[in-house]
């Protein structure tokens, strides 16, 4: 039986095993998908095991290893290179190749919501997934500005300084924490919201009654973070991270098996937290 893993820390909350094992069963593939909690010190050994163990065919990578894993891989897809982020590894003739399906999944959710952006965007956070969000926006909109705010401003500046010119487009500006520009798309990429009482403490008063403004939280559990429920109360349009999560899984499954799995009613039930 072939094996697939998701590695991360923490990993308990991950719904990836439920989704991929459901698809393996549905498409009659004799494989199993498991979650593995790793420390950074265990990363090298895990990758070596993947390299020599013929039954391990693929791996998903999540927080906090999406960048750290890169130095252990043999090749990177162009998108992984541009975003210095890998969430999916495939094995091809003993070679380990890193892909980034977060970036393409995020782009797809913008497209599916008809968010053909004609406005600047604001990204909150500068963690591992932020470069994928910038990539997704830039596929659809090169001409408008992207603003970033992060509690630790230097981290956002560092991230921007490493971006390739193609992702900078007409400009990316790092603002001070608490400085809120007027844009049509505001995305929370921080981990704040995973706990029920988490609150970003940012003042979005200027968005009162702005129906056309989209507040997008990459978190999908809880379904509605305080960031989203406050936006809903203000009358803004809200999106959580559920579809992005499902689409990144769908694209990873496709890379491993060549099957394009369906996001069917059962899958939606699995993630209907
Ligand atoms: P990753 O492993 O994805 O890189 P990370 O580096 O911990 O995760 O990034 C998480 C993001 O959430 C960061 O932008 C972080 O802000 P800092 O760079 O200042 O640490 C943000 N974040 C986490 N806790 C936060 C909090 N209490 N308030 C504001 N931002 C927070």
């Amino acid at each position: 039986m072939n094996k697939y893993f998701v590695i991360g820390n923490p990993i308990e909350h991950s719904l990836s095993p439920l989704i991929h094992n459901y698809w393996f069963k549905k498409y009659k593939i004799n494989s199993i998908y498991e979650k593995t909690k790793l420390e950074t010190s265990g990363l090298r050994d895990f990758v070596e095991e993947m390299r020599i163990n013929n039954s391990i065919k693929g791996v998903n990578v999540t927080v906090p290893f999406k960048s750290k894993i890169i130095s252990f891989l043999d090749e990177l897809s162009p998108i992984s290179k541009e975003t210095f982020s890998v969430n999916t590894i495939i094995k091809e003739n003993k070679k380990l190749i890193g892909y980034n399906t977060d970036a393409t999944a995020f782009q797809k959710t913008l497209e599916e919501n008809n968010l053909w952006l004609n406005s600047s965007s604001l990204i909150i956070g500068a963690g591992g997934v932020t470069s994928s969000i910038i990539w997704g926006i830039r596929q659809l909109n090169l001409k408008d500005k992207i603003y970033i705010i992060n509690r630790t401003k230097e981290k956002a500046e560092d991230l921007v300084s490493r971006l390739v010119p193609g992702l900078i487009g007409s400009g990316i500006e790092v603002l001070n924490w608490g400085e809120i520009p007027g844009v049509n798309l505001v995305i929370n990429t921080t981990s704040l919201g995973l706990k029920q009482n988490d609150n970003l403490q940012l003042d979005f008063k200027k968005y009162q009654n702005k129906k056309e403004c989209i507040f997008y939280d990459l978190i999908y559990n809880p379904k509605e973070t305080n960031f989203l429920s406050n936006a809903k109360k203000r009358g803004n349009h809200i999106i959580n991270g559920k579809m992005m999560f499902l689409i990144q899984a769908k694209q990873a499954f496709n890379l491993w098996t060549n099957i394009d799995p369906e996001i069917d009613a059962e899958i939606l039930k699995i993630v209907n937290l």
Side-chain angles (χ1 to χ4, degrees), residues 36-55:
T36 297
K37 184 171 168 179
L38 285 184
E39 300 302 326
T40 304
S41 56
L43 208 51
R44 177 188 296 272
D45 284 351
F46 183 88
V47 175
E48 281 323 299
E49 173 68 15
M50 180 183 184
R51 204 183 287 284
I52 56 178
N53 187 333
N54 284 332
S55 65

Side-chain angles (χ1 to χ4, degrees), residues 5 48 56 72 81 100 105 122 135 148 178 181 197 199 231 239:
F5 291 94
E48 281 323 299
I56 305 180
F72 303 114
K81 265 189 212 161
N100 178 350
L122 169 66
W135 189 95
I148 305 184
N197 292 329
N199 210 325
I239 304 175

Side-chain angles (χ1 to χ4, degrees), residues 76-85 99-101 103-104 132 135:
L76 292 179
S77 72
I79 303 174
S80 301
K81 265 189 212 161
E82 284 187 10
T83 55
F84 31 89
S85 180
Y99 284 84
N100 178 350
T101 68
T104 43
S132 301
W135 189 95

